Amino acid sequence: MGGARDVGLPSVHRSGRLPERVTIWEVGPRDGLQNEKSTVAVDVKLEFVQRLADAGLTTIETTSFVHPKWVPQLADAEQLLERLERRAGVRYPVLVPNERGLERALAAGVEDIAVFASATETFAKRNLNNTLDGQFALFEPVVARARDAGMRVRGYVSMCWGDPWEGDVRPEQVAEVAGRLYDMGCWQLSLGDTIGVATPGHVEAVLAAVTQRVPVDAVAVHFHDTYGQALANTLAGLQQGVTTVDSSAGGLGGCPYAKSATGNLATEDLVWMLDGLGIEHGVDVDALVGVSTWMAEQLGRPAPSRVVRALAE
Ligand code: HMG
Ligand code: MG
């Protein structure tokens, strides 16, 4: 493998308002693997998570404590966490939809959870078997009990830039859902473009509405790359003060309950852009490409990431 340095790592060119450092929230083992047709063996998942940490990722969303019939790909959450050697300085958040999920997470010694809300009525039904309003009643005791137990709770908001059943989503609606999660005690809100339809101007509009309701320091962005806009959308988010970006190694991902959701923004593509902008992130792009190339072999198909394809042998 040649590696980033041999192909001309981008020299630094900064412009406009950009942060000095970005936290990458790696979602490959959760958002990536939840959408695979086949279930990946627990040994492979363990190696994936460990190699992501080796590459410098310090937040690795590891699995979900959801109903195993809803997401069979992650039904091994207990086994995975029992065998995972957790490292100092690395956080391993998991998704939790309800109190049953929280009990499982507590028993597994988890320190970081994420509840996941919908900005739309239809997706609340399809993803949580609930209503838009009902989802808050579902999460309220989860967030309260988790915080009492000393956990950090992130709140996702899905369908922030469009919903395949309802079409356009009003930015004020997204701000309202994010605000309610923030008031409930979520320390961070991750705004999801679940089906990857956003474009940069639209990102600005939603962030403008959300940051009227919650501080920008508490906002992360989560773009899927269905229409190839995820990186442009991320840049728009950084220019508006966002400093946490979700991505998945190799561009794995999607959502089994949202038609047309494809992979997340690839972590390698994000890292390449951040390097060019001189923004710190702590990830070794060559090591990460090695992980994604290995994972693609396990899955039997090439990684969607352009940077992986450019840098791999
Ligand atoms: P439900 O069927 O309404 O559940 O599903 P229920 O509360 O009526 O319970 C039914 C049975 O399930 C009971 O068992 C419960 O104990 C059991 P019984 O008494 O009948 O034997 N049960 C559970 N078992 C294990 N773990 C649990 C659990 N909860 C209930 N946690 C539920 C409601 C929320 C559980 C279901 O809808 C579910 O699991 N949904 C998860 C869907 C999911 O994981 N989607 C993907 C993640 S979201 C995403 O990808 C978007 C994101 O990336 C951001 C973006 O891109 O926008 C985050
Ligand atoms: Mg997602």
Side-chain angles (χ1 to χ4, degrees):
M1 188 156 87
R5 266 139 213 94
D6 303 330
V7 297
L9 193 69
S11 53
V12 172
H13 295 282
R14 295 177 65 108
S15 67
R17 180 187 162 201
L18 287 168
E20 283 180 10
R21 188 174 174 88
V22 158
T23 300
I24 300 179
W25 187 293
E26 170 62 43
V27 296
R30 194 280 302 171
D31 209 345
L33 298 187
Q34 79 178 10
N35 209 35
E36 282 304 313
K37 285 196 180 65
S38 57
T39 300
V40 173
V42 72
D43 287 335
V44 174
K45 290 180 180 175
L46 280 166
E47 186 170 344
F48 188 33
V49 174
Q50 297 298 16
R51 289 180 68 166
L52 290 169
D54 291 341
L57 287 151
T58 53
T59 305
I60 305 171
E61 198 167 273
T62 304
T63 187
S64 297
F65 286 104
V66 297
H67 195 296
K69 283 201 188 121
W70 282 63
V71 184
Q73 295 89 336
L74 305 183
D76 58 4
E78 271 87 359
Q79 289 159 264
L80 179 63
L81 287 171
E82 196 184 321
R83 292 178 54 198
L84 181 69
E85 282 176 37
R86 287 167 238 200
R87 300 186 196 178
V90 180
R91 308 198 75 113
Y92 302 94
V94 303
L95 257 54
V96 163
N98 55 13
E99 287 194 272
R100 174 82 187 94
L102 178 65
E103 273 147 27
R104 294 173 61 200
L106 284 166
V110 165
E111 292 176 349
D112 279 69
I113 64 164
V115 294
F116 46 102
S118 171
T120 67
E121 194 70 65
T122 312
F123 193 60
K125 176 72 189 157
R126 290 188 178 252
N127 201 41
L128 290 165
N129 197 24
N130 218 305
T131 60
L132 189 59
D133 238 18
Q135 65 185 347
F136 298 105
L138 187 72
F139 299 146
E140 187 107 46
V142 175
V143 177
R145 281 181 60 196
R147 283 171 48 108
D148 281 350
M151 289 174 162
R152 287 202 317 182
V153 187
R154 181 185 229 211
Y156 277 102
V157 186
S158 286
M159 302 298 175
C160 294
W161 282 275
D163 172 294
W165 301 280
E166 298 187 18
D168 284 349
V169 179
R170 288 181 309 108
E172 296 72 25
Q173 169 82 9
V174 178
E176 171 65 13
V177 173
R180 286 179 74 173
L181 293 174
Y182 186 69
D183 294 346
M184 206 183 268
C186 292
W187 74 283
Q188 187 176 67
L189 294 316
S190 176
L191 307 180
D193 182 16
T194 321
I195 53 169
V197 290
T199 50
H202 199 183
V203 171
E204 275 184 48
V206 170
L207 282 173
V210 170
T211 53
Q212 298 261 315
R213 185 68 170 74
V214 299
V216 71
D217 291 353
V219 176
V221 287
H222 177 108
F223 294 115
H224 285 262
D225 205 22
T226 319
Y227 292 88
Q229 306 294 302
L231 204 51
N233 290 337
T234 300
L235 183 58
L238 299 183
Q239 283 165 337
Q240 282 189 256
V242 171
T243 57
T244 299
V245 179
D246 300 1
S247 61
S248 83
L252 287 170
C255 177
Y257 291 100
K259 62 181 176 193
S260 73
T262 59
N264 294 82
L265 166 65
T267 309
E268 291 85 351
D269 298 12
L270 172 63
V271 164
W272 188 267
M273 180 179 80
L274 296 178
D275 280 341
L277 290 166
I279 297 173
E280 283 175 42
H281 50 75
V283 177
D284 176 337
V285 71
D286 288 331
L288 189 58
V289 167
V291 183
S292 294
T293 307
W294 165 82
M295 196 63 211
E297 281 163 17
Q298 306 302 311
L299 296 170
R301 58 176 174 75
S305 161
R306 301 291 290 266
V307 170
V308 172
R309 273 186 265 157
L311 293 182
E313 260 172 40

